[in-house]
Amino acid sequence: DPPPDDQYGRTDAPGTFAGDHKDRRGIIFVGGNNGMIHAIDARTGYEVWAFVPYNLLPKLRALADGQPVEQFDYFVDSSPKIAEVKLTGQWRSMLIIGQGQGGTFYQAFDVTMAGMGVDPAADDIGAVNALLAQFDTPNESIDFKWAFPNYSSFDPAYTAVFNVFDGTPGKRVKLFGDVKATATVAEKTVGYSWSDPAVGPLNSDRSVNAVIVGSGYFPDIESAIPNRGAAAPRAGNVLYLIDADTGALIGNPGEGACNGSGCLSVGDLAANGWKNALQADPTAAGENGSHVVTKAYIGDIDGRYWRFNFDATGAITASQMVDTGAPIYASSALLFVGSADVYMFLSTGSDLLPSSAPGGTGTFRLYGLKDNHPGAGATTKFAQDLLTVTDNGGLATGERPSTAPTVAGDIVFFTTTVESAAAPCSDFQSKLYALTYAGGAAYDTNNSGGLESNESPVIRTLAGRATAPFIVDQHLYFGTAGATGAQIEAFGDPEDFNNGIGQVGVRILSWREIR
């Protein structure tokens, strides 16, 4: 998040945004597979508000059919993004959430007043009743702002079933509605809204704020959908700059072709046998010392990693950093060294993808890159090979990344999953990797007393599949889940907490596993 201005306030002084809202009661927002976005009181666990996205209304009837493993119906299958943005001269708190495999829409809400007016420390039923009464008044606490695509472009009457062979569970896609024939060109390029957005100002006075998001994967079925037809653009391979206040594309209010004004398509390499998409979360950045967002980094399923540059007019250009040759599904992490050098960390492949799907086998890698800006491309600092993945009747043998990496100081951490088709009912293994930003192992894994050339970048091997690593307060956490159940792994000094530094600039110097 960019540093605040005087109107936002750097303290809790009255008359500033921070001061006037310092006593907001904590609210937890979550997407649910019952078709709703939920708001839950963080102190008591009572649900105080829920919202059903318009495009999911006709899909609710699928809940009555049950949820077979091979044909699961997804709904709000995404995580909310909270951002504080200055809209029309006033600071507001926004919530933006997609639908993942549940649908092709993003929704935005003004949640500035959510949790206001009720004692933030009260746990009694009176506080709960006061919250419920407050949320009962439409638009009093949460105000729906916009949807992209626009809900008016949704056709709830359309339904169809398609057979697909792209790794979709059950090899079948069932649509409960789709965009109308009259939907704009840009609206027809939106895929399943997997990509969690980045949010930030595009100019110094914060009068233009963008929701930066990729379009997400969409099966290769557009030409068979009557509302789209053979002339419809291929959905999924577009980056959007959405106006945070209105939901329109910046510089392209008519939402025409995505050729670099408000949205930009990176195309599709048809020769590799799978359909392209910008499915990952974009990682946004600006110039050193500035709060203005000028670029975003994101990989595509064709294996190309991109830097998108843009400005407040909505003009977008794309520069390919590297072509990995393998699908990129997860978001990347950035590290700034000095005032100009930008290092980028990403991985190829995903342990969630069926090994029988296109792009599901091969040797996947953990990458560290240095942006050659303003020159072309990037310099590869490391490309750590993982165990080669083979397909054995739909079961994988090998190693694939779990999800996105994270950076602490000058070290980048990755988690991976090791699978074996020979023992499909036994537990997975998860590995925790630690590499320096310039390449090479970050820790003394052989206990020699110093870093040597033969150190392993793997610092822990654990049972189960791992989540992404999360670093805060000089500690690293991630979850594991497998045959023995689910647990949280925690590393760091158990006596060293609350140092006030946060993640930026922290280097974890020693490892002690907390039990």
Side-chain angles (χ1 to χ4, degrees):
D1 289 329
D5 59 8
D6 291 336
Q7 184 181 344
Y8 184 95
R10 292 168 176 81
T11 65
D12 58 1
T16 64
F17 181 83
D20 293 344
H21 295 86
K22 66 183 179 65
D23 289 328
R24 279 193 295 198
R25 192 175 177 94
I27 303 292
I28 299 168
F29 295 97
V30 61
N33 223 53
N34 57 0
M36 301 181 191
I37 303 163
H38 300 272
I40 300 166
D41 178 33
R43 290 192 68 87
T44 66
Y46 281 94
E47 182 174 1
V48 295
W49 175 90
F51 179 91
V52 181
Y54 174 64
N55 69 297
L56 295 182
L57 285 172
K59 195 174 185 180
L60 291 178
R61 64 178 181 268
L63 293 172
D65 300 333
Q67 295 284 26
V69 173
E70 282 298 308
Q71 190 56 61
F72 199 81
D73 290 310
Y74 294 87
F75 290 84
V76 189
D77 183 31
S78 187
S79 298
K81 171 77 174 184
I82 299 288
E84 291 186 331
V85 186
K86 201 170 186 179
L87 303 178
T88 61
Q90 299 294 321
W91 281 97
R92 310 298 294 176
S93 297
M94 288 191 65
L95 180 148
I96 304 130
I97 183 170
Q99 298 169 0
Q101 197 168 331
T104 61
F105 285 75
Y106 290 92
Q107 296 74 209
F109 304 85
D110 186 331
V111 295
T112 307
M113 302 306 295
M116 288 291 289
V118 179
D119 183 354
D123 293 324
D124 58 275
I125 193 64
V128 173
N129 287 335
L131 273 173
L132 293 173
Q134 184 183 38
F135 279 90
D136 274 345
T137 304
N139 299 330
E140 177 74 18
S141 296
I142 296 179
D143 188 14
F144 172 77
K145 286 193 66 66
W146 50 261
F148 181 80
N150 196 297
Y151 284 155
S152 64
S153 296
F154 179 69
D155 177 8
Y158 178 72
T159 183
V161 177
F162 298 92
N163 295 320
V164 295
F165 302 93
D166 57 0
T168 298
K171 300 180 180 180
R172 193 174 67 132
V173 172
K174 186 172 184 179
L175 297 182
F176 296 85
D178 191 48
V179 292
K180 294 178 179 178
T182 55
T184 66
V185 173
E187 287 177 322
K188 291 180 180 179
T189 65
V190 184
Y192 290 127
S193 44
W194 286 106
S195 180
D196 288 344
V199 184
L202 301 191
N203 55 3
S204 59
D205 66 1
R206 307 174 195 262
S207 60
V208 180
N209 297 276
V211 174
I212 307 156
V213 66
S215 51
Y217 180 77
F218 194 74
D220 191 9
I221 58 176
E222 297 101 321
S223 61
I225 300 175
N227 285 353
R228 298 172 183 251
R234 289 175 70 80
N237 55 33
V238 174
L239 183 92
Y240 308 99
L241 297 179
I242 305 171
D243 188 302
D245 189 33
T246 66
L249 294 179
I250 297 173
N252 187 358
E255 299 178 355
C258 291
N259 54 14
S261 183
C263 55
L264 179 64
S265 169
V266 297
D268 193 341
L269 301 178
N272 59 20
W274 60 78
K275 191 181 180 190
N276 193 25
L278 292 171
Q279 181 166 304
D281 309 337
T283 307
E287 301 306 319
N288 182 56
S290 173
H291 62 268
V292 178
V293 179
T294 60
K295 54 191 171 184
Y297 298 84
I298 186 172
D300 67 22
I301 294 180
D302 278 338
R304 298 168 295 177
Y305 186 69
W306 300 92
R307 183 188 71 231
F308 292 90
N309 290 86
F310 39 77
D311 60 28
T313 69
I316 313 172
T317 58
S319 299
Q320 182 177 301
M321 299 285 95
V322 68
D323 185 354
T324 69
I328 302 171
Y329 293 100
S331 60
S332 55
L334 302 182
L335 172 66
F336 287 78
V337 178
S339 61
D341 290 344
V342 181
Y343 288 78
M344 306 155 287
F345 307 103
L346 63 138
S347 60
T348 59
S350 170
D351 62 0
L352 292 178
L353 185 72
S355 55
S356 57
T361 58
T363 302
F364 301 109
R365 297 178 176 87
L366 314 176
Y367 279 89
L369 310 172
K370 179 178 178 291
D371 192 343
N372 291 336
H373 182 73
T379 300
T380 299
K381 306 301 290 186
F382 64 81
Q384 175 71 43
D385 285 2
L386 305 181
L387 299 173
T388 298
V389 175
T390 59
D391 175 51
N392 304 89
L395 299 174
T397 294
E399 182 181 10
R400 298 182 287 183
S402 303
T403 183
T406 192
V407 177
D410 57 359
I411 300 175
V412 57
F413 297 90
F414 297 84
T415 52
T416 66
T417 299
V418 180
E419 304 166 76
S420 174
C425 296
S426 64
D427 211 348
F428 299 138
Q429 279 189 330
S430 59
K431 292 183 180 181
L432 176 64
Y433 285 78
L435 298 107
T436 69
Y437 73 97
Y443 293 100
D444 177 17
T445 54
N446 61 12
N447 298 314
S448 65
L451 280 175
E452 299 172 341
S453 59
N454 63 346
E455 303 283 4
S456 171
V458 180
I459 56 176
R460 283 292 187 276
T461 300
L462 300 162
R465 178 188 180 272
T467 66
F470 175 76
I471 294 171
V472 66
D473 202 24
Q474 296 196 76
H475 292 77
L476 182 146
Y477 305 88
F478 62 90
T480 57
T484 58
Q487 57 187 339
I488 298 294
E489 305 291 341
F491 300 91
D493 188 339
E495 303 300 324
D496 187 9
F497 284 93
N498 302 318
N499 58 41
I501 298 174
Q503 179 175 336
V504 178
V506 172
R507 175 183 170 91
I508 298 178
L509 296 176
S510 63
W511 291 95
R512 289 173 60 186
E513 188 161 4
I514 302 171
R515 290 295 185 185

